[in-house]
Amino acid sequence: MRDRIPDPCRLLVVGINPGRLTEEVDAPFAHPGNRFWPALERAGITPYRVHAERGLADEDAAMLAGMGIGFTNFVDRMTPRASALTREELVAGGDKVRACVARHRPDVVMVVGIGAFRDAYRAPKAKRGLQPERLAGVPVWVVGNPSGLNAHETVDSLAESYREVWDSVAASAPTARERR
């Protein structure tokens, strides 16, 4: 999946890596069992639920870009499950994301998946939520993985954490604009 990063980018969503369907249709979180899009809608961030199973419709891509929501992944290699990635790939992906953040200067970064974040940034004790350290001066939030394989999350729990991140986007925007 290619990066989708608007200019300006208010929120950069960092996934782990593309699954088979995401790779096939070139759309983030495309698997129908993934709870990302329902949670984004439930959080009130998007005005409707995006259906990415067949790719992003032009209207959806335009809506997301207009809102300043962008997407990248730690690792570009498609795997059936994120657990197939090596720690070395995730560490390299952390460097890739750091460079991406430095280049695009989003207002806020939201990483979906605490395990991948811990590996990518060699932070084994990191917890979900706002991280104490920034990436290229940008605040970083870690939220749960929305994959249907992650039984610890629900659409409601994800929506709650996404809403908290989105609220921080509004609060940090003037500071971020000064960085540009």
Side-chain angles (χ1 to χ4, degrees):
M1 183 193 90
R2 65 187 162 96
D3 287 350
R4 295 176 178 270
I5 304 173
D7 182 24
C9 184
R10 298 179 69 206
L11 174 65
L12 180 61
V13 179
V14 180
I16 301 169
N17 75 311
R20 186 168 284 123
L21 185 58
T22 288
E23 179 82 5
E24 192 176 298
V25 301
D26 189 31
F29 306 101
H31 192 280
N34 194 296
R35 295 168 286 197
F36 179 80
W37 297 112
L40 215 61
E41 178 192 24
R42 178 112 11 116
I45 298 169
T46 56
Y48 57 85
R49 180 173 170 201
V50 170
H51 294 275
E53 300 90 21
R54 296 179 190 203
L56 284 181
D58 290 343
E59 315 78 71
D60 297 337
M63 179 265 298
L64 293 163
M67 294 180 70
I69 300 173
F71 299 89
T72 192
N73 287 307
F74 281 119
V75 178
D76 295 329
R77 180 171 73 92
M78 185 280 296
T79 61
R81 292 180 180 220
S83 60
L85 298 172
T86 67
R87 190 162 205 236
E88 292 75 24
E89 284 178 294
L90 289 166
V91 169
D95 292 340
K96 172 195 166 236
V97 169
R98 184 178 284 111
C100 179
V101 170
R103 182 172 51 258
H104 294 283
R105 308 301 293 172
D107 293 342
V108 174
V109 173
M110 181 173 84
V111 175
V112 294
I114 186 67
F117 179 86
R118 287 174 177 158
D119 284 344
Y121 296 108
R122 296 179 179 111
K125 295 183 180 183
K127 296 186 180 348
R128 291 171 28 164
L130 180 62
Q131 299 305 298
E133 296 180 13
R134 295 171 174 239
L135 283 180
V138 176
V140 178
W141 290 77
V142 178
V143 298
N145 186 333
S147 167
L149 298 173
N150 183 4
H152 300 315
E153 293 289 353
T154 65
V155 169
D156 287 332
S157 67
L158 290 166
E160 185 178 325
S161 61
Y162 293 1
R163 183 77 234 171
E164 187 176 14
V165 175
W166 189 247
D167 288 346
S168 80
V169 169
S172 70
T175 305
R177 286 193 188 95
E178 292 168 6
R179 289 193 314 259
R180 289 191 176 98

